[in-house]
Amino acid sequence: MPIFWAVLSFLAVGLLVAGALLFSGSAPPSEVAHRLQALARSEIHADAPADVQITRDESLSTVPALHRMMKRWSWSKRLNRLLSQAGLQIKPGKLVLIMGVAAFGTYVVMHSLFDMSSFAVAIGLGAGSVPLLVVLAARQKRLRAFERNFPEAIDLLGRAVRAGHAFTTGIEMISQESQEPIASEFRTMFEEHNLGLPLREALWNLADRVPLVDMRFFVSALLIQKETGGNLAEILDNLAHVIRERFKVLGEIRVRTAQGRLTAVILIALPPSLLVFLNSASPEYVQVLITDPLGVTMLTVAVAMQVIGSFLLWRVVSIAV
């Protein structure tokens, strides 16, 4: 029991430290710095024309050696895009260092406690993946917030166009009046166009930064209207109506699949809950899984099957609309 609680306490403290480092931010930037950061974030996803290039910070890490190393890795840009979509103002190198420290520190502690390399490696890899999972969760939360408030932003743009304002003025109004993260993304688009990027490229950059089906519909509708003509205000109203109807269908599906999702949660939580209960009621019964090599192998296989089963269960109950 003391070893169990010591390991649990170490993991909890490690995760808290990793989360604090991951979400630690600097002071709010000035207006000029904010505009430069917005344009730099946009150029992560698409190269601007030669006459729009500006001096910007392209470093992937504040550590020069790590920056040079990550420049040679193809996944560094994807990691940078992931952080941008999650709304985290940190460099990819910082995330990589946090993951490495979490994985190596957990491995050292587990190896010193149990003297089993395979078990320590498995736990270390799991702990090292936690910061990345936190980033993925933040990205998902930010995209859901964007999707939830997107119809209101389209309505605001439609009212601005109907009142006689230019399209770019409507985009600026969205960046000033809407909630986050819609305001920051449309502000980035407005700054891109303000600094000379063609409207078509700015729209595609917006769709690339916000990988949602609704955003693809929005950009495609605007580009088609620009090429063929038509009533832009009516197009925006119809698009907002379609998005709201899709949300209604999604809500009905979530209601009908609530029992399946509850069953999935119970099945996923049952094995670890049973292990904790048995460890509290009869510690000597559970110690075999930790002290005996065969028990460690069985426990590792059980964890792997638990992860695979959880993934399959959520795939079954998650229905895309």
Side-chain angles (χ1 to χ4, degrees), residues 3 15 18 25 71 141 177 186 202 249 257 272 274 287 315-316:
I3 294 178
L15 294 179
K71 287 286 285 186
K141 180 180 178 181
E177 303 295 336
F186 275 89
V249 175
T257 59
L274 183 60
Q287 287 299 318
R315 291 289 293 177
V316 169

Side-chain angles (χ1 to χ4, degrees), residues 57-68:
D57 182 13
E58 293 181 333
S59 62
L60 298 173
S61 173
T62 55
V63 181
L66 182 58
H67 168 70
R68 291 192 297 269

